[in-house]
Amino acid sequence: MVLDNPRKPLQLRDVPRPKAGRGQLLVRVATCAVCRTDLHVIDGELPDPKLPLILGHQIVGRVQEIGEETDSKFQIGDRVGIPWLGWTDGECAYCRSGRENLCDNARFTGYTINGGYAEFTVADARFCFHLPDRYNDVEVAPLLCAGLIGYRSYRKTGNARRLGIYGFGNAAHLIAQVALHEGRDLFVFTRPGDTKTQQDAKTLGAKWAGGSDEMPPKKLDAAIIFASVGPLVPMALRALAKGGIVVCGGIHMSDIPSFAYADLWEERVITSVANLTRRDADEFLELAPRVPVKAHTETFSLEQANTALDRFRAGKLSGTAVLVMDAN
Ligand SMILES: [Zn+2]
Ligand SMILES: [Zn+2]
């Protein structure tokens, strides 16, 4: 499925099968989970997608062909996961200081390089991962972005005992399981009046769940915002104890309204999370099966990608949408 222009539906068409270049794997795609970032790309909210583009950056597949001079950690037939971070230069100041997620020349799967809404894709082997055996191809796909970016956001909260989560979508649902596993007290904020999601959060183990316009019963040590809604930032800030941190976990957010300096005073911090490092992926893929982190999924065929995206946009999915390539 190909995106020719933002704000247009994806087109199904035959494209030549890619070849594994130097250092690359040709992967036969089994599944690819749909991420909110895909919607941001389609809606033209991210500045420079490669066009035409094959979307999709939560790819599970099997190695079909190995290019020259490729990292030997993979063999033909191995199952691999391909996430958002597709390539870095390894040379810039960010890469050399363990912050390849900020690389000046990074390339991103399903955004600046072709992704996994397809039967085949190629990927730089150094940015592919073995996946835990515990999960099948559908179950593991949502872990590759919602899980990884969620995990990076979560790690930024340090040892926060009381953790707030604003927006209880796919990433929040996965990371809440990790937080509970690690003994954190969880406070979940949803759209005001969304009692169903609040109930889901409590069933999962949240100490408290309420509307984003409410204050938690106790001040929070940290809050992660997964909703792309800027006004949540000052609201979350006001829910923090001294020294607390607000982590914005999304790639896109509407503007943040101004707020009083008193809300930031006493060493409160606001930060964002950009992309992921391979270390985040190694850590999370090792941790996830031990929790075990489980995603709710809803499957679609590749041809139904536009339907999956429309239902995601309308909030009508019951779990993360996962495209299954050989569904027919
Ligand atoms: Zn770099
Ligand atoms: Zn994503």
Side-chain angles (χ1 to χ4, degrees), residues 88-95 103-105:
T88 58
D89 59 18
E91 290 175 352
C92 73
Y94 299 105
C95 284
C103 176
D104 282 330
N105 297 301

